[in-house]
């Protein structure tokens, strides 16, 4: 499955993720896959999902949201349509009734993303 993910044009090489975001990782934490979503990056490790939100015009301000897989209570995928060219993934975390929503353009296989999420949550 990781080969299928790495075939995405939106996928980011694990070595690049390690170089750019290694300071966020625990000593023995392993990066499985990552995706560039417009300006943001999703990093799937063996322990958690890290959402890197690039903010502002200069792109210098960044927010790092760390979500342990065990805290994700459910998720949904909305595929692209005829006029809506973006797929969407929604994550519900803990008891928060509002999901975290991210849109993916057609360069990212949202089915592969949800399959990886399912695998890492188990």
């Amino acid at each position: 499955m990781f080969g299928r993910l790495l075939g995405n044009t939106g996928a980011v090489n694990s070595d690049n993720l390690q170089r750019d975001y290694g300071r966020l990782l625990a000593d023995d934490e392993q990066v499985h896959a990552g995706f560039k979503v417009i300006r943001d990056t999703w990093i799937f490790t063996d322990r958690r999902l890290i959402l890197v939100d690039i903010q502002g015009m200069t792109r210098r301000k960044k927010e790092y949201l760390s979500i342990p897989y065990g805290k994700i209570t459910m998720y949904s995928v909305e595929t692209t349509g005829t006029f809506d060219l973006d797929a969407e993934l929604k994550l519900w975390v803990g008891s928060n009734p509002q999901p975290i929503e991210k849109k993916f353009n057609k360069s990212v296989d949202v089915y592969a993303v949800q399959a990886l999420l399912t695998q890492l949550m188990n």
Side-chain angles (χ1 to χ4, degrees), residues 78-122:
E78 181 181 298
T79 61
T80 60
T82 303
F83 299 107
D84 183 7
L85 301 177
D86 294 324
E88 189 171 315
L89 178 66
K90 295 179 185 176
L91 300 171
W92 283 266
V93 179
S95 61
N96 189 346
Q98 297 300 316
I100 296 169
E101 300 180 40
K102 289 290 181 181
K103 290 187 181 282
F104 291 85
N105 63 28
K106 64 182 176 183
S107 71
V108 174
D109 179 357
V110 73
Y111 292 108
V113 174
Q114 71 86 32
L116 178 61
L117 184 57
T118 299
Q119 180 180 357
L120 292 170
M121 286 177 61
N122 292 320

Side-chain angles (χ1 to χ4, degrees), residues 22 24 39 45 49-50 59-60 71 74 78 83 85 94:
L24 298 173
R39 296 183 346 171
T45 77
L49 172 61
I50 302 169
R59 299 181 180 190
R60 290 186 183 187
K71 296 297 181 184
M74 66 179 170
E78 181 181 298
F83 299 107
L85 301 177

Side-chain angles (χ1 to χ4, degrees), residues 12-102:
V12 180
N13 180 294
S14 294
D15 292 335
N16 292 346
L17 292 169
Q18 187 72 37
R19 181 193 67 224
D20 295 341
Y21 301 107
R23 294 180 9 188
L24 298 173
L25 304 175
D27 288 338
D28 58 347
E29 189 171 9
Q30 299 296 312
V31 172
H32 285 290
F35 297 91
K36 192 84 165 153
V37 183
I38 306 177
R39 296 183 346 171
D40 301 337
T41 303
W42 285 45
I43 304 168
F44 290 85
T45 77
D46 57 340
R47 297 182 186 181
R48 60 194 165 135
L49 172 61
I50 302 169
L51 304 179
V52 182
D53 182 14
I54 308 297
Q55 302 172 358
M57 296 296 289
T58 63
R59 299 181 180 190
R60 290 186 183 187
K61 185 175 180 180
K62 297 177 178 108
E63 177 184 22
Y64 303 98
L65 179 61
S66 178
I67 305 170
Y69 296 117
K71 296 297 181 184
I72 299 173
T73 56
M74 66 179 170
Y75 62 89
S76 72
V77 173
E78 181 181 298
T79 61
T80 60
T82 303
F83 299 107
D84 183 7
L85 301 177
D86 294 324
E88 189 171 315
L89 178 66
K90 295 179 185 176
L91 300 171
W92 283 266
V93 179
S95 61
N96 189 346
Q98 297 300 316
I100 296 169
E101 300 180 40
K102 289 290 181 181

